[in-house]
C-alpha cells in the first residue's frame, strides 16, 4: 500500500489548516452581510449535470473530470466546480418560487489537471451564486462581495480585477462566426490545441498561451465590435456601478473564462505574487444555464475563489492572525490531575483555551507549555488544592500569583487571556 496521498491531493493541517479556516470564515462573514446563506450540495452528481452544464468542448469536461460508474451502474462525476451542482439543486428544490436566491458554498472540487504550484487535483473553492435578477446591479453586487472578501483578508492590493463581457447569445454567435472566419485563414499557423478549438470552441483561442497564436490574436476581431446594443448597455452599466462603488478594474477584451455557460459579464481577480497560477477568483453571469439543465428561464451570476491559492497568498504576506495562546495545565503530582481537569473543563465552557499535556512531571509539563507558546501555566499542588487556589504563572515574565479557584475565570479575563 502506498502510504502517500494520491497525486495532486494533500493533507491540510497545521498552519495551512489555520489559513484555510481564516479564509473560509472571512468569506462566510462577508457573504452573510450580503444576505447569502450557505448551501452544501453533494460532492458527486450525475455526470450529465457537469457535461451539459459546463459544455462538452471545455477542457474541464473533455479532459479533467473524474467520472466513474458506481456499483449500481450510475454514471457519476466528482464535482469539478460548484456552480452546476448549485444550479441542479436550485431546480430540484424548486427554488424559483422565492427569487432572488442567494447562496454561498465552500468545499472541495476535483479536476484531473497536471499538478503544480497552486494547482491541485483536489482543490477547494468558496463561491457564491445569485439567481433571479437580470439587471447589472446583481453583477455589481457580486463583484463588490468578491472585493470585500479579498479586502477582509488583507490582499486587495495584491490583486487586480479583470473584466470583460461575452455579450448575449446573439453577440456571442456573431463574434464566434467572425473568429472562425479570421482564424480559418491561418489554420496551418495555429497551434494544435487552437486548431482543435477552432472547430469546437473558437473563443478559447483568445486565451491561448502559445506564442504564435498570440501573434495571430493581435489582428483578430474584438468582442466589443460584435456586441448588440443591449449587451453593450449592460456592460456599461456594470462598469458604471463599479466606478460608483470605487472598485478598481481593468477591461481585458481577451478574457473568456474556461467554462461555456457564461453570458455578459465575466471576470477574474489575478495576482502576480503566486507565479503561473495567479487567478485567485473567477466568475460571471450565466443566463441560460438553469434552463440548459432543465429548469426555468432564470438568470444567474456568481463567482468562486480558490481557497488553496488565497490561503497561500495570506501566508506569504504573513497576514494570518496569531493563534490564540493557550493556558497550560500543570498538575503538581499525579493526584492533582483530576482536580485540575475539573478546573480546565469549567474554564473551557467559559471560552478559555486550555491545553492538557496528559503526562510527565512538572518540569516536563512546563517545557511543553513553553513549546506550545502558552501564555500562562495553571499550577496546582496539594497545598494549593487544600487552600482552594491555583498558581497562575505568566510564561513570558515568570510572574506568578495565587488565585482562588472561585475567582479564577474573572482573574484570567482581567489578565486578557
Ligand atoms: P474557475 O475559474 O474554473 O470557475 O475556478 C474558480 C477558481 O478556482 C480559480 O480562479 C482558481 O482560483 C480555483 N481553481 C480552479 N482550478 C484549480 C486547481 N486545479 N487547483 C487550485 N485551484 C483551482 C469556476 O469554477 C466557476 N464555477 C466560478 C463561478 C461561480 N462562476 C459563476 N459562479
Amino acid at each position: 500500500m502506498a502510504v502517500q496521498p494520491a497525486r495532486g491531493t494533500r493533507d491540510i493541517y497545521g498552519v495551512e489548516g489555520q489559513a484555510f479556516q481564516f479564509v473560509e470564515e472571512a468569506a462566510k462573514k462577508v457573504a452573510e452581510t450580503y444576505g447569502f446563506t450557505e448551501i452544501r450540495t453533494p460532492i458527486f452528481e450525475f455526470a450529465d449535470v457537469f457535461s451539459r452544464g459546463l459544455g462538452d468542448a471545455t477542457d474541464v469536461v473533455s479532459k479533467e473530470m473524474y467520472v466513474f460508474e458506481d456499483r449500481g451502474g450510475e454514471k457519476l462525476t466528482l464535482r469539478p466546480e460548484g456552480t452546476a451542482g448549485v444550479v441542479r439543486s436550485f431546480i430540484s428544490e424548486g427554488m424559483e418560487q422565492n427569487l432572488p436566491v442567494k447562496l454561498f458554498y465552500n468545499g472541495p472540487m476535483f479536476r484531473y489537471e497536471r499538478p503544480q504550484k497552486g494547482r491541485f487535483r483536489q482543490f477547494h473553492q468558496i463561491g457564491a451564486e445569485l439567481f433571479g435578477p437580470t439587471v447589472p446591479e446583481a453583477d455589481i453586487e457580486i463583484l463588490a462581495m468578491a472585493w470585500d472578501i479579498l479586502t477582509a483578508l488583507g490582499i486587495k492590493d495584491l490583486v487586480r480585477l479583470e473584466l470583460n463581457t461575452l455579450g448575449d447569445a446573439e453577440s456571442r454567435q456573431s463574434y464566434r462566426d467572425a473568429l472562425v472566419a479570421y482564424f480559418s485563414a491561418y489554420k496551418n499557423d495555429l497551434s494544435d490545441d487552437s486548431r482543435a478549438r477552432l472547430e469546437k470552441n473558437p473563443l478559447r483561442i483568445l486565451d491561448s498561451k502559445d506564442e504564435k497564436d498570440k501573434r495571430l490574436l493581435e489582428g483578430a476581431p474584438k468582442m466589443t465590435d460584435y456586441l448588440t446594443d443591449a449587451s453593450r448597455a449592460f456592460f456599461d452599466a456594470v462598469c458604471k456601478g463599479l466606478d460608483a462603488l470605487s472598485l478598481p478594474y481593468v477591461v481585458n477584451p481577451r478574457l473568456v473564462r474556461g467554462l461555456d455557460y457564461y453570458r455578459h459579464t465575466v471576470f477574474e481577480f489575478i495576482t502576480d505574487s503566486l507565479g503561473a497560477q495567479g487567478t485567485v477568483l473567477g466568475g460571471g453571469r450565466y443566463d441560460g444555464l438553469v434552463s440548459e439543465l432543465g429548469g426555468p428561464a432564470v438568470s444567474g451570476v456568481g463567482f468562486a475563489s480558490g481557497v488553496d491559492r488565497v490561503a497561500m497568498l495570506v501566508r506569504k504576506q504573513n497576514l494570518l492572525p496569531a493563534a490564540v495562546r493557550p493556558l497550560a495545565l500543570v498538575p503538581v503530582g499525579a493526584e492533582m490531575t483530576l482536580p485540575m481537569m475539573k478546573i480546565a473543563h469549567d474554564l473551557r465552557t467559559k471560552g478559555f483555551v486550555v491545553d492538557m499535556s496528559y503526562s510527565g512531571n512538572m518540569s516536563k509539563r512546563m517545557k511543553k507549555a513553553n513549546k506550545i507558546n502558552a501564555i500562562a501555566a495553571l499550577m496546582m499542588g496539594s497545598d494549593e488544592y487544600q487552600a482552594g487556589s491555583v498558581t497562575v504563572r505568566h510564561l513570558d515574565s515568570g510572574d506568578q500569583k495565587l488565585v482562588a479557584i472561585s475567582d479564577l475565570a474573572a482573574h484570567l479575563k482581567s489578565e486578557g487571556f
Side-chain angles (χ1 to χ4, degrees), residues 81 83 111 113 118 120 125 129 257 261-262 279 302-303 306:
E81 57 105 56
T83 310
R111 295 184 193 176
E113 291 193 86
F120 307 94
Q125 286 185 344
E129 313 293 352
R257 307 271 301 131
Y261 49 61
Y262 293 110
T279 307
F303 68 79

Side-chain angles (χ1 to χ4, degrees), residues 60 80-83 105 111 113 118-121 123-125 128-129 257 259 261-262 268 279-284 286 301-309:
V60 174
E81 57 105 56
T83 310
Y105 51 89
R111 295 184 193 176
E113 291 193 86
R119 192 162 72 192
F120 307 94
R121 289 182 176 171
F123 61 100
H124 304 79
Q125 286 185 344
E129 313 293 352
R257 307 271 301 131
L259 306 163
Y261 49 61
Y262 293 110
E268 289 185 349
T279 307
V280 294
L281 188 151
Y286 47 86
V301 53
F303 68 79
S305 173
V307 180
D308 311 73
R309 293 182 190 174

Side-chain angles (χ1 to χ4, degrees), residues 276-327:
Q277 303 303 318
T279 307
V280 294
L281 188 151
R285 177 168 276 278
Y286 47 86
D287 299 351
L289 177 58
V290 180
S291 51
E292 178 65 33
L293 289 181
V298 171
S299 295
V301 53
F303 68 79
S305 173
V307 180
D308 311 73
R309 293 182 190 174
V310 175
M312 274 164 75
L313 200 52
V314 163
R315 282 179 65 192
K316 191 163 178 240
Q317 301 298 122
N318 286 324
L319 294 168
L320 207 54
V324 176
R325 295 178 69 182
L327 298 159

Side-chain angles (χ1 to χ4, degrees), residues 171 195 197 205 218 247 286 350 386:
S171 321
R195 208 170 309 123
R197 289 179 188 131
I205 301 177
E218 280 162 24
L247 300 176
Y286 47 86
K350 294 184 170 123
Q386 298 294 328

Side-chain angles (χ1 to χ4, degrees), residues 387-402:
S389 32
V390 170
T391 299
V392 178
R393 182 190 291 184
H394 282 245
L395 292 179
D396 293 342
S397 63
D399 294 347
Q400 62 180 53
K401 192 174 174 188
L402 200 63

